[in-house]
Amino acid sequence: MKRILVTGGAGFLGSHLCDRLLGDGHEVVCLDNYFTGRKVNVERHLANPRFELLRHDVIDPFKVEVDWIFNLACPASPIHYQHNPIKTTKTSVMGAINCLGLAKRVGARVFQASTSEVYGDPEVHPQAEDYRGHVNPIGPRACYDEGKRCAETLFFDYHRQNRLDIRVVRIFNTYGPRMLADDGRVVSNFVVQALRGEDLTIYGDGTQTRSFCYVSDLVEGFVRFMEDESGYPGPLNLGNPGEFTMLELAEKILAKVGGPSKLVYLPLPQDDPKQRRPDISLAREKLSWEPKVGLDEGLECTIEYFRANGA
Ligand code: NAD
Ligand code: UDP
């Protein structure tokens, strides 16, 4: 049994990770400032003596005696990370510094939730870990992309300079229950719009592609990487290599939900990546990991969640 800190633990991915770690018998300290996370995501653990919930901002230093740290704190949807972009950069950079400082002090293994956004609007397809990316450093997505890139730099410098035991994962679009209905990400937008009988908002012509990973597959990858004793620090892509246009996604969701919704076309946001698909050869080789939940099955669980939660 380990004592584990999960920053951003009340968010979408963080709360699923807390469920998994508690289920595996570990002690979990969940730290969150509730910017995009919610207490309700972890409330069933509040009576569990192996669970602790701290309201705290990762920008400010924190001390807690732990064996492992998962650093997930950062808004992940474009609407939320662009709401206060300076705060987003601070969260990524100072959050990383505070997690790394703590890991150094207590000798913990430390995990960073990085992102496929480090590849920007990629000119290489699919994206493998050795691709260095095509990022606009001054655009509206830069607070997130460059904040995450700087966090990766810090992780690798602490690894080289202080021999810190790090694990850096580049997460590709992940979806599932507990996404916020209003955070603007495409799967939750389309599902909620379809359930409400509203039109589905396609940005641009809908031919841009993404690869969608179901949350349980991703969490399995997180845990395998953290348990891996080979010392491989990453970066490691985790995602589902199935690739779909936004039009294909919209049609799938419409077919599953039914109802009167149609497609409406809105302008494409600036710097929106045209294509994205992970090369997961490294995760297959290092962790024998690959996703098991296909898009149809995952969408059905997600639709069920939003239907039950009054979308
Ligand atoms: P989320 O917004 O649901 O979760 C982020 C959590 O961090 C929330 O609980 C939020 O309240 C908390 N948080 C934000 N700023 C904070 C701060 N300054 N101090 C403390 N807590 C703070 O998003 P998510 O999808 O669960 O993403 C989790 C992590 O995974 C993020 O770091 C994100 O960048 C990364 N990621 C997610 C995806 C995805 O598709 N879901 C893809 C790539 C990377
Ligand atoms: N998108 C869309 N309609 C929406 C929300 C998003 O067409 O209502 C598109 C968006 O332009 C992008 C893709 O869906 O091309 C994925 O967007 P999301 O914000 O989920 O993730 P990211 O762009 O960060 O990969």
PDB file of all heavy atoms in Angstrom, residues 255-278:
ATOM      1  N   ALA A 255     -26.940   9.190 -34.088  1.00  0.00           N
ATOM      2  CA  ALA A 255     -27.556   7.885 -34.333  1.00  0.00           C
ATOM      3  C   ALA A 255     -27.885   7.196 -33.002  1.00  0.00           C
ATOM      4  O   ALA A 255     -28.896   6.499 -32.890  1.00  0.00           O
ATOM      5  CB  ALA A 255     -26.616   7.017 -35.172  1.00  0.00           C
ATOM      6  N   LYS A 256     -27.043   7.385 -31.983  1.00  0.00           N
ATOM      7  CA  LYS A 256     -27.276   6.703 -30.708  1.00  0.00           C
ATOM      8  C   LYS A 256     -28.378   7.386 -29.887  1.00  0.00           C
ATOM      9  O   LYS A 256     -29.131   6.722 -29.188  1.00  0.00           O
ATOM     10  CB  LYS A 256     -25.985   6.666 -29.884  1.00  0.00           C
ATOM     11  CG  LYS A 256     -24.967   5.688 -30.447  1.00  0.00           C
ATOM     12  CD  LYS A 256     -23.703   5.659 -29.616  1.00  0.00           C
ATOM     13  CE  LYS A 256     -22.578   4.976 -30.371  1.00  0.00           C
ATOM     14  NZ  LYS A 256     -22.904   3.617 -30.839  1.00  0.00           N
ATOM     15  N   VAL A 257     -28.424   8.729 -29.942  1.00  0.00           N
ATOM     16  CA  VAL A 257     -29.372   9.452 -29.081  1.00  0.00           C
ATOM     17  C   VAL A 257     -30.726   9.612 -29.763  1.00  0.00           C
ATOM     18  O   VAL A 257     -31.771   9.597 -29.107  1.00  0.00           O
ATOM     19  CB  VAL A 257     -28.791  10.838 -28.682  1.00  0.00           C
ATOM     20  CG1 VAL A 257     -29.807  11.652 -27.890  1.00  0.00           C
ATOM     21  CG2 VAL A 257     -27.510  10.661 -27.867  1.00  0.00           C
ATOM     22  N   GLY A 258     -30.715   9.745 -31.088  1.00  0.00           N
ATOM     23  CA  GLY A 258     -31.974   9.998 -31.804  1.00  0.00           C
ATOM     24  C   GLY A 258     -32.435  11.434 -31.578  1.00  0.00           C
ATOM     25  O   GLY A 258     -31.661  12.275 -31.129  1.00  0.00           O
ATOM     26  N   GLY A 259     -33.687  11.718 -31.864  1.00  0.00           N
ATOM     27  CA  GLY A 259     -34.222  13.063 -31.614  1.00  0.00           C
ATOM     28  C   GLY A 259     -34.064  13.990 -32.806  1.00  0.00           C
ATOM     29  O   GLY A 259     -33.585  13.573 -33.871  1.00  0.00           O
ATOM     30  N   PRO A 260     -34.458  15.264 -32.627  1.00  0.00           N
ATOM     31  CA  PRO A 260     -34.594  16.190 -33.751  1.00  0.00           C
ATOM     32  C   PRO A 260     -33.312  16.953 -34.119  1.00  0.00           C
ATOM     33  O   PRO A 260     -33.338  17.737 -35.074  1.00  0.00           O
ATOM     34  CB  PRO A 260     -35.632  17.192 -33.223  1.00  0.00           C
ATOM     35  CG  PRO A 260     -35.379  17.220 -31.742  1.00  0.00           C
ATOM     36  CD  PRO A 260     -34.913  15.856 -31.357  1.00  0.00           C
ATOM     37  N   SER A 261     -32.197  16.753 -33.402  1.00  0.00           N
ATOM     38  CA  SER A 261     -31.009  17.603 -33.613  1.00  0.00           C
ATOM     39  C   SER A 261     -30.467  17.488 -35.034  1.00  0.00           C
ATOM     40  O   SER A 261     -30.494  16.416 -35.638  1.00  0.00           O
ATOM     41  CB  SER A 261     -29.888  17.200 -32.649  1.00  0.00           C
ATOM     42  OG  SER A 261     -30.336  17.191 -31.333  1.00  0.00           O
ATOM     43  N   LYS A 262     -29.954  18.623 -35.524  1.00  0.00           N
ATOM     44  CA  LYS A 262     -29.250  18.639 -36.816  1.00  0.00           C
ATOM     45  C   LYS A 262     -27.838  19.183 -36.573  1.00  0.00           C
ATOM     46  O   LYS A 262     -27.485  19.486 -35.441  1.00  0.00           O
ATOM     47  CB  LYS A 262     -30.010  19.545 -37.791  1.00  0.00           C
ATOM     48  CG  LYS A 262     -31.371  18.964 -38.213  1.00  0.00           C
ATOM     49  CD  LYS A 262     -32.007  19.776 -39.324  1.00  0.00           C
ATOM     50  CE  LYS A 262     -32.659  21.062 -38.816  1.00  0.00           C
ATOM     51  NZ  LYS A 262     -33.733  20.820 -37.822  1.00  0.00           N
ATOM     52  N   LEU A 263     -27.069  19.299 -37.641  1.00  0.00           N
ATOM     53  CA  LEU A 263     -25.723  19.865 -37.498  1.00  0.00           C
ATOM     54  C   LEU A 263     -25.761  21.344 -37.876  1.00  0.00           C
ATOM     55  O   LEU A 263     -26.381  21.718 -38.863  1.00  0.00           O
ATOM     56  CB  LEU A 263     -24.727  19.144 -38.422  1.00  0.00           C
ATOM     57  CG  LEU A 263     -24.666  17.618 -38.282  1.00  0.00           C
ATOM     58  CD1 LEU A 263     -23.582  17.042 -39.191  1.00  0.00           C
ATOM     59  CD2 LEU A 263     -24.410  17.211 -36.829  1.00  0.00           C
ATOM     60  N   VAL A 264     -25.075  22.187 -37.068  1.00  0.00           N
ATOM     61  CA  VAL A 264     -24.888  23.593 -37.473  1.00  0.00           C
ATOM     62  C   VAL A 264     -23.385  23.861 -37.499  1.00  0.00           C
ATOM     63  O   VAL A 264     -22.621  23.281 -36.708  1.00  0.00           O
ATOM     64  CB  VAL A 264     -25.555  24.604 -36.516  1.00  0.00           C
ATOM     65  CG1 VAL A 264     -27.061  24.568 -36.647  1.00  0.00           C
ATOM     66  CG2 VAL A 264     -25.131  24.415 -35.079  1.00  0.00           C
ATOM     67  N   TYR A 265     -22.994  24.746 -38.410  1.00  0.00           N
ATOM     68  CA  TYR A 265     -21.561  24.994 -38.619  1.00  0.00           C
ATOM     69  C   TYR A 265     -21.174  26.352 -38.047  1.00  0.00           C
ATOM     70  O   TYR A 265     -21.808  27.363 -38.345  1.00  0.00           O
ATOM     71  CB  TYR A 265     -21.239  24.903 -40.117  1.00  0.00           C
ATOM     72  CG  TYR A 265     -21.363  23.482 -40.609  1.00  0.00           C
ATOM     73  CD1 TYR A 265     -22.607  22.969 -40.989  1.00  0.00           C
ATOM     74  CD2 TYR A 265     -20.269  22.632 -40.632  1.00  0.00           C
ATOM     75  CE1 TYR A 265     -22.736  21.646 -41.396  1.00  0.00           C
ATOM     76  CE2 TYR A 265     -20.397  21.306 -41.035  1.00  0.00           C
ATOM     77  CZ  TYR A 265     -21.631  20.823 -41.414  1.00  0.00           C
ATOM     78  OH  TYR A 265     -21.748  19.510 -41.800  1.00  0.00           O
ATOM     79  N   LEU A 266     -20.136  26.375 -37.196  1.00  0.00           N
ATOM     80  CA  LEU A 266     -19.644  27.612 -36.572  1.00  0.00           C
ATOM     81  C   LEU A 266     -18.166  27.768 -36.942  1.00  0.00           C
ATOM     82  O   LEU A 266     -17.518  26.802 -37.363  1.00  0.00           O
ATOM     83  CB  LEU A 266     -19.793  27.526 -35.045  1.00  0.00           C
ATOM     84  CG  LEU A 266     -21.234  27.382 -34.519  1.00  0.00           C
ATOM     85  CD1 LEU A 266     -21.238  27.244 -32.999  1.00  0.00           C
ATOM     86  CD2 LEU A 266     -22.086  28.583 -34.938  1.00  0.00           C
ATOM     87  N   PRO A 267     -17.607  28.995 -36.776  1.00  0.00           N
ATOM     88  CA  PRO A 267     -16.209  29.192 -37.171  1.00  0.00           C
ATOM     89  C   PRO A 267     -15.246  28.297 -36.387  1.00  0.00           C
ATOM     90  O   PRO A 267     -15.475  27.996 -35.216  1.00  0.00           O
ATOM     91  CB  PRO A 267     -15.952  30.664 -36.830  1.00  0.00           C
ATOM     92  CG  PRO A 267     -17.302  31.288 -36.702  1.00  0.00           C
ATOM     93  CD  PRO A 267     -18.247  30.216 -36.284  1.00  0.00           C
ATOM     94  N   LEU A 268     -14.181  27.890 -37.061  1.00  0.00           N
ATOM     95  CA  LEU A 268     -13.136  27.077 -36.417  1.00  0.00           C
ATOM     96  C   LEU A 268     -12.306  27.985 -35.500  1.00  0.00           C
ATOM     97  O   LEU A 268     -11.850  29.041 -35.932  1.00  0.00           O
ATOM     98  CB  LEU A 268     -12.234  26.480 -37.508  1.00  0.00           C
ATOM     99  CG  LEU A 268     -11.240  25.414 -37.061  1.00  0.00           C
ATOM    100  CD1 LEU A 268     -11.961  24.143 -36.615  1.00  0.00           C
ATOM    101  CD2 LEU A 268     -10.256  25.099 -38.193  1.00  0.00           C
ATOM    102  N   PRO A 269     -12.114  27.613 -34.233  1.00  0.00           N
ATOM    103  CA  PRO A 269     -11.267  28.431 -33.348  1.00  0.00           C
ATOM    104  C   PRO A 269      -9.835  28.538 -33.879  1.00  0.00           C
ATOM    105  O   PRO A 269      -9.351  27.619 -34.562  1.00  0.00           O
ATOM    106  CB  PRO A 269     -11.286  27.666 -32.022  1.00  0.00           C
ATOM    107  CG  PRO A 269     -12.465  26.754 -32.096  1.00  0.00           C
ATOM    108  CD  PRO A 269     -12.666  26.425 -33.550  1.00  0.00           C
ATOM    109  N   GLN A 270      -9.159  29.645 -33.540  1.00  0.00           N
ATOM    110  CA  GLN A 270      -7.775  29.849 -33.987  1.00  0.00           C
ATOM    111  C   GLN A 270      -6.859  28.724 -33.472  1.00  0.00           C
ATOM    112  O   GLN A 270      -6.997  28.285 -32.329  1.00  0.00           O
ATOM    113  CB  GLN A 270      -7.253  31.193 -33.454  1.00  0.00           C
ATOM    114  CG  GLN A 270      -5.902  31.569 -34.032  1.00  0.00           C
ATOM    115  CD  GLN A 270      -5.296  32.785 -33.323  1.00  0.00           C
ATOM    116  OE1 GLN A 270      -6.013  33.653 -32.844  1.00  0.00           O
ATOM    117  NE2 GLN A 270      -3.975  32.836 -33.286  1.00  0.00           N
ATOM    118  N   ASP A 271      -5.944  28.282 -34.334  1.00  0.00           N
ATOM    119  CA  ASP A 271      -4.917  27.283 -33.997  1.00  0.00           C
ATOM    120  C   ASP A 271      -5.491  25.906 -33.644  1.00  0.00           C
ATOM    121  O   ASP A 271      -4.820  25.090 -33.004  1.00  0.00           O
ATOM    122  CB  ASP A 271      -4.012  27.763 -32.835  1.00  0.00           C
ATOM    123  CG  ASP A 271      -3.192  28.991 -33.196  1.00  0.00           C
ATOM    124  OD1 ASP A 271      -2.939  29.200 -34.402  1.00  0.00           O
ATOM    125  OD2 ASP A 271      -2.808  29.747 -32.274  1.00  0.00           O
ATOM    126  N   ASP A 272      -6.746  25.656 -34.030  1.00  0.00           N
ATOM    127  CA  ASP A 272      -7.358  24.346 -33.758  1.00  0.00           C
ATOM    128  C   ASP A 272      -6.605  23.281 -34.575  1.00  0.00           C
ATOM    129  O   ASP A 272      -6.549  23.372 -35.802  1.00  0.00           O
ATOM    130  CB  ASP A 272      -8.828  24.409 -34.201  1.00  0.00           C
ATOM    131  CG  ASP A 272      -9.679  23.317 -33.598  1.00  0.00           C
ATOM    132  OD1 ASP A 272      -9.666  22.194 -34.148  1.00  0.00           O
ATOM    133  OD2 ASP A 272     -10.360  23.579 -32.604  1.00  0.00           O
ATOM    134  N   PRO A 273      -6.004  22.270 -33.926  1.00  0.00           N
ATOM    135  CA  PRO A 273      -5.254  21.269 -34.697  1.00  0.00           C
ATOM    136  C   PRO A 273      -6.130  20.558 -35.740  1.00  0.00           C
ATOM    137  O   PRO A 273      -7.268  20.186 -35.441  1.00  0.00           O
ATOM    138  CB  PRO A 273      -4.755  20.303 -33.623  1.00  0.00           C
ATOM    139  CG  PRO A 273      -4.707  21.120 -32.376  1.00  0.00           C
ATOM    140  CD  PRO A 273      -5.870  22.064 -32.474  1.00  0.00           C
ATOM    141  N   LYS A 274      -5.580  20.369 -36.933  1.00  0.00           N
ATOM    142  CA  LYS A 274      -6.364  19.765 -38.039  1.00  0.00           C
ATOM    143  C   LYS A 274      -6.460  18.258 -37.907  1.00  0.00           C
ATOM    144  O   LYS A 274      -7.401  17.641 -38.383  1.00  0.00           O
ATOM    145  CB  LYS A 274      -5.711  20.118 -39.385  1.00  0.00           C
ATOM    146  CG  LYS A 274      -6.009  21.560 -39.821  1.00  0.00           C
ATOM    147  CD  LYS A 274      -5.382  21.913 -41.149  1.00  0.00           C
ATOM    148  CE  LYS A 274      -3.900  22.262 -41.049  1.00  0.00           C
ATOM    149  NZ  LYS A 274      -3.572  23.351 -40.104  1.00  0.00           N
ATOM    150  N   GLN A 275      -5.460  17.658 -37.294  1.00  0.00           N
ATOM    151  CA  GLN A 275      -5.463  16.193 -37.179  1.00  0.00           C
ATOM    152  C   GLN A 275      -4.717  15.790 -35.913  1.00  0.00           C
ATOM    153  O   GLN A 275      -3.816  16.500 -35.458  1.00  0.00           O
ATOM    154  CB  GLN A 275      -4.778  15.570 -38.408  1.00  0.00           C
ATOM    155  CG  GLN A 275      -3.385  16.108 -38.636  1.00  0.00           C
ATOM    156  CD  GLN A 275      -2.697  15.528 -39.861  1.00  0.00           C
ATOM    157  OE1 GLN A 275      -3.265  14.713 -40.567  1.00  0.00           O
ATOM    158  NE2 GLN A 275      -1.465  15.936 -40.097  1.00  0.00           N
ATOM    159  N   ARG A 276      -5.134  14.665 -35.369  1.00  0.00           N
ATOM    160  CA  ARG A 276      -4.435  14.170 -34.172  1.00  0.00           C
ATOM    161  C   ARG A 276      -4.698  12.681 -34.021  1.00  0.00           C
ATOM    162  O   ARG A 276      -5.844  12.241 -34.056  1.00  0.00           O
ATOM    163  CB  ARG A 276      -4.932  14.913 -32.939  1.00  0.00           C
ATOM    164  CG  ARG A 276      -4.209  14.486 -31.679  1.00  0.00           C
ATOM    165  CD  ARG A 276      -4.705  15.218 -30.465  1.00  0.00           C
ATOM    166  NE  ARG A 276      -4.344  16.615 -30.453  1.00  0.00           N
ATOM    167  CZ  ARG A 276      -5.047  17.529 -29.798  1.00  0.00           C
ATOM    168  NH1 ARG A 276      -6.119  17.199 -29.133  1.00  0.00           N
ATOM    169  NH2 ARG A 276      -4.648  18.789 -29.811  1.00  0.00           N
ATOM    170  N   ARG A 277      -3.623  11.928 -33.901  1.00  0.00           N
ATOM    171  CA  ARG A 277      -3.740  10.477 -33.630  1.00  0.00           C
ATOM    172  C   ARG A 277      -2.461  10.022 -32.967  1.00  0.00           C
ATOM    173  O   ARG A 277      -1.370  10.303 -33.470  1.00  0.00           O
ATOM    174  CB  ARG A 277      -3.952   9.703 -34.933  1.00  0.00           C
ATOM    175  CG  ARG A 277      -3.873   8.184 -34.736  1.00  0.00           C
ATOM    176  CD  ARG A 277      -4.635   7.426 -35.809  1.00  0.00           C
ATOM    177  NE  ARG A 277      -4.099   7.635 -37.146  1.00  0.00           N
ATOM    178  CZ  ARG A 277      -3.301   6.777 -37.777  1.00  0.00           C
ATOM    179  NH1 ARG A 277      -2.915   5.657 -37.194  1.00  0.00           N
ATOM    180  NH2 ARG A 277      -2.892   7.037 -38.991  1.00  0.00           N
ATOM    181  N   PRO A 278      -2.557   9.312 -31.835  1.00  0.00           N
ATOM    182  CA  PRO A 278      -1.332   8.893 -31.156  1.00  0.00           C
ATOM    183  C   PRO A 278      -0.696   7.671 -31.815  1.00  0.00           C
ATOM    184  O   PRO A 278      -1.402   6.750 -32.232  1.00  0.00           O
ATOM    185  CB  PRO A 278      -1.828   8.520 -29.759  1.00  0.00           C
ATOM    186  CG  PRO A 278      -3.228   8.055 -29.965  1.00  0.00           C
ATOM    187  CD  PRO A 278      -3.769   8.878 -31.114  1.00  0.00           C
TER     188      PRO A 278
END
